[in-house]
Amino acid sequence: MNKFVKTTELFDCSNTYLKPLFENSVYPWDMLGKIGDYITELIKTGIPGYIETKKGVLIGKRVKVYSNTTIEPPVIIGSDTEIRPGAFIRGNVIIGEGCVIGNSSELKNCIMLDNVQVPHYNYIGDSILGYKAHMGAGSITSNVKSDKSHVTIKTDNAKIETGLKKCGAMLGDHVEVGCNAVLNPGTVIGKNTSVYPLTSLRGVYPENSIVKDTKTVVKRV
């Protein structure tokens, strides 16, 4: 089973205003240090149909933001997205269209493509979530190693240095993560792969698979 880690292998980005960022990043974690500046430039140039509701916060049409949420700039929130009570969006966050950010979920320095759902008690930090990726209740991305060293991405054939102390998870399009799973720093999950609940993962996992635990990965049929 192939373990893909390049941006083009994990994501089919059709979002117009995000395409340049994805197309110019060989690896998805290359985008993490660019998110803030990219948002700032998009706010300057504008996105059709989006309005700046307060300085540094650009919001599309029909966005539903419940009370008791915190949104710190810079942030872009796509049309038809729902931000539920208690959500904490800490800045440097791009949320695509039709997404759900759930109660008590926390987001920081991350990108979510369209139709992503993090609906219940999730932490998403320094991560990229592909189209229709879904995080089950209580599942989180761990973005810092305990020894604070730089995160490396380890495939079967290579060890890729990210040069980053903070690097969470890269979830390809249509990835499903089960409840209370922990994705340790530098975890990469290929397209159309499902992860069992209560798993603690590290490393690169192939597309079109079912991940039952770190050592049990089966091909989806």
Side-chain angles (χ1 to χ4, degrees):
M1 292 184 281
N2 292 322
K3 295 182 177 181
F4 298 128
V5 296
K6 290 187 176 180
T7 303
T8 54
E9 296 168 331
L10 294 168
F11 311 104
D12 293 320
C13 180
S14 60
N15 187 307
T16 304
Y17 65 79
L18 284 177
K19 264 189 172 183
L21 181 60
F22 277 72
E23 289 174 350
N24 292 315
S25 301
V26 176
Y27 297 110
W29 51 87
D30 293 338
M31 292 184 260
L32 296 178
K34 305 174 185 177
I35 296 172
D37 290 341
Y38 197 79
I39 295 172
T40 300
E41 286 302 312
L42 283 172
I43 290 173
K44 286 180 182 177
T45 58
I47 300 173
Y50 283 55
I51 60 172
E52 191 173 3
T53 56
K54 68 176 184 180
K55 187 173 177 58
V57 178
L58 196 64
I59 294 182
K61 298 177 180 178
R62 300 174 300 278
V63 172
K64 187 170 185 178
V65 180
Y66 285 83
S67 59
N68 301 319
T69 62
T70 300
I71 301 175
E72 296 183 350
V75 169
I76 293 176
I77 301 174
S79 298
D80 300 303
T81 283
E82 183 176 311
I83 312 294
R84 293 176 177 170
F88 183 18
I89 301 174
R90 289 171 48 192
N92 289 356
V93 172
I94 300 174
I95 302 169
E97 298 185 356
C99 294
V100 175
I101 310 304
N103 57 301
S104 303
S105 292
E106 181 178 349
L107 278 58
K108 170 253 181 189
N109 196 54
C110 60
I111 298 173
M112 298 179 177
L113 291 180
D114 296 346
N115 299 111
V116 167
Q117 293 191 354
V118 290
H120 309 288
Y121 308 104
N122 305 107
Y123 173 69
I124 311 298
D126 301 284
S127 299
I128 313 291
L129 277 60
Y131 175 73
K132 280 195 173 181
H134 174 263
M135 300 280 285
S139 60
I140 65 168
T141 63
S142 174
N143 59 338
V144 182
K145 295 172 66 175
S146 59
D147 63 2
K148 306 301 189 292
S149 61
H150 286 177
V151 176
T152 58
I153 311 295
K154 298 176 182 178
T155 69
D156 289 337
N157 304 313
K159 181 179 178 181
I160 305 170
E161 300 289 345
T162 67
L164 301 171
K165 285 187 178 180
K166 293 185 177 183
C167 180
M170 310 292 134
L171 307 187
D173 296 339
H174 299 279
V175 165
E176 290 276 346
V177 177
C179 296
N180 291 316
V182 177
L183 308 181
N184 288 288
T187 297
V188 181
I189 302 176
K191 292 180 182 179
N192 306 307
T193 285
S194 296
V195 176
Y196 268 26
L198 298 173
T199 52
S200 177
L201 301 185
R202 184 186 305 277
V204 180
Y205 295 86
E207 63 180 23
N208 300 313
S209 302
I210 299 173
V211 181
K212 299 183 178 181
D213 56 51
T214 53
K215 295 181 180 179
T216 308
V217 181
V218 298
K219 189 74 174 174
R220 187 185 294 280
V221 293

